[in-house]
Amino acid sequence: MTRGLVLLLTVVTGFSGLVYEVAWQKILATLLGSHSESTAAVLGLFLGGLALGYAGFGRVSQRRPHLLAIYGGVEASIGIWALLFPWLFQGVLSLSLALPATSPGLGFVQDILLSALLIGPPSVLMGATIPLLTQALARSLADATRFHAFVYACNTLGAFGGALAAGFWLVPALGLVGVLRLAATLNLLAGAAFFALDWHSSRRMPQPPPQEPASPQASPEPAEIRQTGQGSRPDLISPAVALLIGFAMMTVQTVLIRLGGMAFGSSQFTFSMVVAVFVLCIALGSFGVSALPRVPRHGLLVVLWGLVGLLALLYLRADEAPYWAHVLRSLFQHHAAAFYPYHVSAFAAVLVIVGPAAVLSGATLPLIFHDLRRQVGELGDVAGGIYSWNTIGSLLGALLGGYALLFWLDIHQIFRVAMGAVVLAAALIVLRTVRTHPAIWAIGLAANSLAAIALLPAWSPERLSMGLFRWRNPLERTFEGADLFYSQHDKTRIVFYKDGPTASIAVKQLTAPDGQIHRSIFTNGKSDSAAPTDYSTTGMLALLPALFVEKAERAFVIGYGTGVTAGELAELSSIREVLVAEISSSVIDAAPLFDFANRNASKAEKVTIVSGDAYRTLLRMDGKFDIITSEPSNPWVAGVEMLYSREFLEAARDRLSPGGVHVQWFHAYETDDTTMAMVLRTYADVFEHVSVWFGEGADLLLLGFRDPDRALDLDRLERRAAQPDIAAGLRRCSIDSFPELLVHEWLPFGVVHATALTGELHTLLHPRLSYHAARAFFTGRTGRLNGTAGLDAANLGARNSFLVRYRERRGGRLPEEVRVALVREACRQKQTISCTTLFAHWSADSPDSGLRRGLEREIRADPDLAGAMRFNLVPALARLYGANGTAPESGDVLETATRATRLYIQYYLHAAPFPRRTLMDLWTRCDADPKLRERCRKARTQLEEFLGDLELDLAQGRS
């Protein structure tokens, strides 16, 4: 009964331990950054603490009474530390910012040491589980292997649950502080339960169990396996094997996480899924050992060589992972309800493919423990020593295989290194097990295996970097096999590829029929930007904020990408310095490949590229910036969500000069309404003055201002746009006139704050955004922001819209040639609402315009322009401007009013606002019809989610 309760409690503590690891990683990213160095450092500190705990508590366990009570105190101490962690962290963060650092490297080392003070003590305490419980409850040597395997398996099974729960539900639901409190509560309850179990056991068995060596009858294993007792030579092989396996499997896990990102997308869900598969399989491997009626003499030897073979099979087909993930993804397509079924299926697929090798790795430590058992009183010490060496190996795997080696090797080479480590471990067991010529056998097998590993083919960068996770529907030959599929769809040429510590970066080139070169940069298979294709967006990321500042002298750019933003800033005559924070060393290596399209940004004297995390770099930069530009636009990608957090935005705001501007690239595609509202609400919570512009397609540019007066000065904006350096940059963005620039304004100054944005904020301590964004990315739809047509927002939009004020300055009517330029620019940028609504506004103002009819023919003949225009809606939208009165276009007035209201909300454009009187007349006419009055009121109630405060306007009869 006692042992069963202990095993159950071990599941609980394993669950809390993994939850802690996830929470600490995210919290410490605030101190260390979200780059690869910080990830490796936090994991290294956690594993290093575990290793010390295993070794230390292994010695504590020897011949100590009341081990369950001691372990209860350990678990309670972990819980208390977790409850204090938020306050401890704030103190450490303040100390970090106060400490002087003569160099970035020294500052990072200081912060690692401070982080060790935070997570070192609880990590050491977590190392008590296996040695203390193995010693406390193993009844004999014959029982020790089985129970020890059970403890290891149950603890790891709990960790599997923690990986899934934290990654998919707990963090977004509770926040990081809430997660820590939950895990702390579990530890405190577990501690109390262990105290109670110790008290109960002491009453039943007041005398400690005998600690004599087991009799030969109790241990059926051969003498040579048990020769590690007192007086024998120290066993160096078993610790070495434990270390090598720890190194190999942590390295393999790191590689498979990267492969998972390129196959499924680099979201938090992918990371949690791959980690959970590994943890579950390790638990299953340990359960398998515990279920054996008798451990085979050569069990460890068979397991290790079997692991070598399974890893080799996994290696041979690994670069097909993106294709098979695409096949699976196409079965679920873009339905929101399929999100969890898809991830369950993906988990099952990864489990089937990776599971066999991970299961064998999970069996190795219990089998090593079985070979090393000595006396009953030394079981905890033996277990602690083995797991300490294994954890040191995992630590080396995290630091070397997961970080350092990636500066020189690609991930397929890292995988080979891991396979080589397993071969060496297997050879060491051959050396100890084989009786005839063991050295010859060990050296021969190792040499041949390592030679075979060296001859394995490299993985295909083209296949890995294709980004198939963005295709939600079946493509041509999707179900015809990897080779046929890739032959059909792999049309670009890779001119650069590097698996760096942070990400796998590819540069792909496509030559257009006219001979123009197009190059795109891909991060873990996801296209980030292209040159010159995305020039309209990446160029405006530099030029838009430069238009509003008094004098742009110093700029900070987050993310180098194609270098267009940095290059355009460097071209401005007033700019003295452009600092670029780039997290990926591989992106920096690839930078010269884009010089043909970015004004030679990588060689510009004004541009300095700093390798590091944006948050950490910005916090430690001296001085203020006139412009801060943030390029990473995909908050569903793990790590990018930090740039959208309230804390980061506050740091950016506080480092702006008095007239400075912050701009954030975000996109409405592959997102949803909730995600868009969260992004804008968080942004508006930090910046009191916000406007939103658009680049190309669904690319949105969020601008946060320190000086509202300068942001509204139309004359000054026009003068700035006419300056030779800025005008030249705008022309490179294909913007040839001032009105064409103004049409890019989507939400004028003040509209975002006047819009009722519902939902939560995104903060570092409650990181909701990446989870919402990943779910939105799954469906692949376009997000909308409802409510900007409400009375307050509409009034502010009409008052502050640059295009409205530009039109009013010309007597309320734009010249026909200006209208042509506006509509053409909106359609060229794939802005369906602006393109269609501006055309409808023109149609209502000038129904007989020859220029408008000529533009219509041009748009219909040009596929690039026609894709954004909805000609079928133009008559209905023109009626919203009062064209041809408000008579029903078809059917009864209720149908017309309902459809008009939906179009009013969906196609409302602050640059050409619909008059509110038009809708009011329709609904008033509907109310006036006795036959329709009840249906009319019911319809208006059903339309509340679209109407917003429009319903209030109608009810009060305001215009």
Side-chain angles (χ1 to χ4, degrees):
M1 179 66 176
T2 298
R3 299 213 305 179
L5 289 174
V6 166
L7 293 174
L8 180 61
L9 291 170
T10 304
V11 174
V12 173
T13 59
F15 177 92
S16 65
L18 206 292
V19 169
Y20 285 134
E21 183 182 352
V22 172
W24 290 339
Q25 181 69 62
K26 291 181 177 293
I27 292 175
L28 289 177
T30 307
L31 176 63
L32 298 173
S34 61
H35 49 86
S36 53
E37 291 94 334
S38 68
T39 301
V42 173
L43 185 56
L45 292 173
F46 181 73
L47 294 173
L50 282 178
L52 291 174
Y54 286 137
F57 283 102
R59 296 186 180 93
V60 167
S61 70
Q62 294 190 58
R63 305 180 186 278
R64 292 287 180 95
H66 300 292
L67 289 179
L68 290 181
I70 292 174
Y71 185 63
V74 167
E75 289 296 334
S77 299
I78 295 172
I80 293 171
W81 189 276
L83 291 176
L84 296 174
F85 191 91
W87 290 276
L88 296 172
F89 173 74
Q90 289 301 323
V92 165
L93 184 60
S94 300
L95 180 60
S96 169
L97 295 175
L99 286 174
T102 57
S103 68
L106 179 59
F108 187 64
V109 171
Q110 288 177 350
D111 288 341
I112 290 176
L113 295 176
L114 292 173
S115 299
L117 296 177
L118 285 172
I119 67 174
S123 299
V124 170
L125 293 175
M126 289 179 190
T129 304
I130 290 174
L132 289 187
L133 295 184
T134 298
Q135 181 62 57
L137 297 173
R139 295 166 180 159
S140 65
L141 284 181
D143 174 67
T145 298
R146 180 173 178 273
F147 182 73
H148 163 79
F150 260 128
V151 172
Y152 181 41
C154 289
N155 193 247
T156 309
L157 185 64
F160 158 71
L164 285 183
F168 279 79
W169 300 290
L170 291 181
V171 171
L174 302 178
L176 296 176
V177 174
V179 162
L180 288 176
R181 289 172 179 166
L182 172 64
T185 301
L186 295 177
N187 284 114
L188 291 171
L189 292 174
F194 277 110
F195 275 117
L197 287 172
D198 185 82
W199 177 79
H200 178 70
S201 300
S202 298
R203 291 189 62 190
R204 294 183 58 189
M205 186 187 301
Q207 299 298 322
Q211 301 295 332
E212 297 83 7
S215 64
Q217 290 80 9
S219 182
E221 285 72 33
E224 64 267 20
I225 298 182
R226 295 186 290 108
Q227 62 182 355
T228 56
Q230 294 183 1
S232 63
R233 290 180 301 173
D235 177 26
L236 301 179
I237 289 179
S238 294
V241 171
L243 184 145
L244 287 168
I245 293 302
F247 168 82
M249 296 316 295
M250 178 58 72
T251 301
V252 167
Q253 178 177 303
T254 301
V255 171
L256 292 181
I257 288 172
R258 181 70 62 85
L259 279 175
M262 290 187 279
F264 299 106
S266 298
S267 71
Q268 176 64 40
F269 295 117
T270 298
F271 174 84
S272 299
M273 182 174 62
V274 175
V275 171
V277 165
F278 260 83
V279 175
L280 174 62
C281 291
I282 289 172
L284 293 176
S286 189
F287 273 127
V289 174
S290 69
L292 294 173
R294 183 177 183 277
V295 177
R297 176 182 174 186
H298 299 306
L300 183 57
L301 186 66
V302 172
V303 164
L304 289 177
W305 284 112
L307 180 57
V308 172
L310 289 174
L311 289 177
L313 291 175
L314 188 59
Y315 179 95
L316 290 173
R317 307 303 293 269
D319 60 358
E320 293 182 5
Y323 164 73
W324 293 109
H326 164 66
V327 171
L328 178 65
R329 182 70 183 85
S330 66
L331 299 177
F332 294 87
Q333 299 188 19
H334 57 267
H335 304 293
F339 179 80
Y340 283 115
Y342 164 72
H343 278 89
V344 169
S345 301
F347 178 88
V350 175
L351 185 64
V352 170
I353 296 168
V354 178
V359 166
L360 289 186
S361 73
T364 55
L365 291 188
L367 290 174
I368 295 173
F369 172 83
H370 177 78
D371 286 353
L372 291 182
R373 297 168 306 157
R374 298 192 290 267
Q375 312 181 66
V376 173
E378 298 179 2
L379 294 176
D381 192 19
V382 171
I386 296 168
Y387 284 82
S388 178
W389 282 108
N390 180 259
T391 307
I392 291 172
S394 297
L395 169 61
L396 293 174
L399 297 180
L400 296 177
Y403 174 66
L405 292 178
L406 283 164
F407 281 105
W408 301 283
L409 305 177
D410 286 335
I411 57 173
H412 72 277
Q413 296 165 317
I414 301 289
F415 196 99
R416 293 184 196 177
V417 170
M419 292 174 61
V422 180
V423 167
L424 293 178
L428 288 174
I429 296 301
V430 168
L431 188 63
R432 191 176 70 178
T433 305
V434 174
R435 297 181 178 180
T436 304
H437 306 299
I440 295 176
W441 277 103
I443 295 173
L445 287 170
N448 283 283
S449 298
L450 293 175
I453 290 172
L455 294 174
L456 289 171
W459 292 343
S460 167
E462 290 81 6
R463 296 187 174 194
L464 292 177
S465 62
M466 199 166 175
L468 293 174
F469 50 82
R470 303 189 85 159
W471 297 97
R472 297 162 182 85
N473 299 315
L475 303 175
E476 187 177 356
R477 297 189 173 180
T478 286
F479 302 107
E480 297 182 25
D483 292 335
L484 286 174
F485 177 85
Y486 283 118
S487 66
Q488 176 68 29
H489 295 282
D490 189 14
K491 303 298 183 184
T492 57
R493 181 168 68 92
I494 288 186
V495 294
F496 175 90
Y497 183 85
K498 180 69 177 72
D499 293 316
T502 300
S504 296
I505 302 299
V507 176
K508 298 186 178 184
Q509 178 173 307
L510 185 66
T511 303
D514 61 0
Q516 185 179 28
I517 293 176
H518 295 261
R519 286 179 179 164
S520 304
I521 189 163
F522 285 71
T523 302
N524 291 339
K526 182 188 70 67
S527 176
D528 280 336
S529 59
T533 310
D534 291 328
Y535 211 107
S536 293
T537 297
T538 52
M540 288 185 68
L541 281 168
L543 298 171
L544 262 183
L547 284 165
F548 290 101
V549 298
E550 182 64 36
K551 188 175 183 181
E553 294 184 341
R554 196 163 185 247
F556 185 80
V557 178
I558 301 166
Y560 185 85
T562 60
V564 169
T565 302
E568 283 292 347
L569 284 168
E571 286 289 295
L572 300 178
S573 59
S574 62
I575 282 287
R576 295 184 293 103
E577 182 182 30
V578 180
L579 291 173
V580 182
E582 175 51 58
I583 198 171
S584 172
S585 59
S586 300
V587 171
I588 299 174
D589 293 339
L593 292 171
F594 292 95
D595 282 350
F596 77 99
N598 62 20
R599 319 298 294 172
N600 290 308
S602 74
K603 301 179 181 65
E605 293 183 359
K606 296 179 181 179
V607 177
T608 301
I609 304 176
V610 179
S611 180
D613 171 79
Y615 192 15
R616 180 178 177 81
T617 303
L618 184 61
L619 285 176
R620 287 155 178 80
M621 279 290 177
D622 295 327
K624 300 285 187 177
F625 295 95
D626 304 300
I627 296 171
I628 298 179
T629 295
S630 182
E631 287 202 24
S633 59
N634 299 97
W636 62 268
V637 175
V640 173
E641 76 278 2
M642 179 180 286
L643 303 177
Y644 293 83
S645 68
R646 182 173 60 190
E647 292 86 348
F648 177 81
L649 293 173
E650 287 173 343
R653 179 200 61 196
D654 295 343
R655 279 154 182 79
L656 286 173
S657 61
V661 178
H662 175 273
V663 57
Q664 171 68 59
W665 180 5
F666 178 67
H667 49 70
Y669 66 86
E670 293 181 333
T671 189
D672 61 8
D673 302 356
T674 301
T675 302
M676 182 177 288
M678 181 178 293
V679 167
L680 288 173
R681 186 166 185 264
T682 304
Y683 199 83
D685 186 69
V686 174
F687 291 99
E688 295 182 9
H689 315 292
V690 175
S691 68
V692 181
W693 296 57
F694 63 80
E696 183 174 4
D699 292 330
L700 302 180
L701 308 178
L702 283 56
L703 274 69
F705 300 89
R706 295 294 299 267
D707 186 346
D709 295 331
R710 186 174 290 117
L712 290 171
D713 191 338
L714 178 63
D715 293 332
R716 182 182 173 282
L717 186 68
E718 188 168 15
R719 289 195 303 271
R720 292 280 290 169
Q723 289 182 196
D725 52 354
I726 293 181
L730 290 174
R731 285 193 296 271
R732 287 190 289 271
C733 296
S734 300
I735 298 174
D736 298 320
S737 66
F738 186 57
E740 288 180 51
L741 169 66
L742 299 185
V743 81
H744 283 260
E745 184 185 40
W746 178 45
L747 299 180
F749 182 86
V751 170
V752 173
H753 283 89
T755 301
L757 297 174
T758 59
E760 303 291 340
L761 296 176
H762 170 58
T763 68
L764 290 179
L765 291 181
H766 204 145
R768 302 174 173 91
L769 180 60
S770 60
Y771 299 88
H772 285 287
R775 292 175 64 93
F777 174 77
F778 178 81
T779 60
R781 297 192 177 96
T782 299
R784 299 176 303 169
L785 186 64
N786 292 323
T788 65
L791 182 63
D792 292 339
N795 286 340
L796 279 169
R799 184 165 66 244
N800 295 334
S801 167
F802 284 118
L803 195 54
V804 169
R805 292 160 62 203
Y806 183 83
R807 184 167 58 244
E808 290 175 348
R809 199 166 66 179
R810 284 154 179 77
R813 196 176 186 88
L814 292 172
E816 294 271 287
E817 60 272 14
V818 172
R819 288 186 181 271
V820 170
L822 292 176
V823 174
R824 184 184 287 124
E825 175 65 9
C827 294
R828 183 180 71 84
Q829 300 294 354
K830 308 296 188 296
Q831 293 293 323
T832 297
I833 292 175
S834 297
C835 172
T836 307
T837 303
L838 286 172
F839 192 85
H841 187 222
W842 188 8
S843 177
D845 278 355
S846 305
D848 300 322
S849 169
L851 276 179
R852 184 180 59 79
R853 287 194 293 270
L855 180 61
E856 179 175 348
R857 290 192 295 270
E858 177 189 342
I859 293 174
R860 291 184 183 277
D862 189 338
D864 290 336
L865 299 179
M869 177 64 78
R870 301 291 181 265
F871 282 115
N872 61 313
L873 297 180
V874 168
L877 294 175
R879 276 190 286 272
L880 287 175
Y881 287 109
N884 301 320
T886 57
E889 56 195 276
S890 64
D892 58 29
V893 67
L894 174 57
E895 178 184 344
T896 301
T898 301
R899 183 169 184 263
T901 301
R902 293 181 184 272
L903 288 175
Y904 189 103
I905 299 299
Q906 186 177 357
Y907 281 82
Y908 191 87
L909 185 66
H910 293 281
F914 300 124
R916 306 175 85 78
R917 173 66 64 184
T918 306
L919 269 189
M920 290 175 60
D921 288 346
L922 285 172
W923 285 106
T924 301
R925 186 179 304 169
C926 188
D927 283 336
D929 189 334
K931 297 180 181 179
L932 294 176
R933 185 174 298 132
E934 191 61 33
R935 290 173 55 204
C936 177
R937 292 174 180 173
K938 184 177 180 180
R940 283 175 55 180
T941 300
Q942 293 173 341
L943 284 169
E944 281 183 358
E945 63 174 306
F946 297 97
L947 288 168
D949 61 4
L950 276 175
E951 185 175 20
L952 178 64
D953 306 342
L954 294 171
Q956 295 182 356
R958 295 188 294 191
S959 60

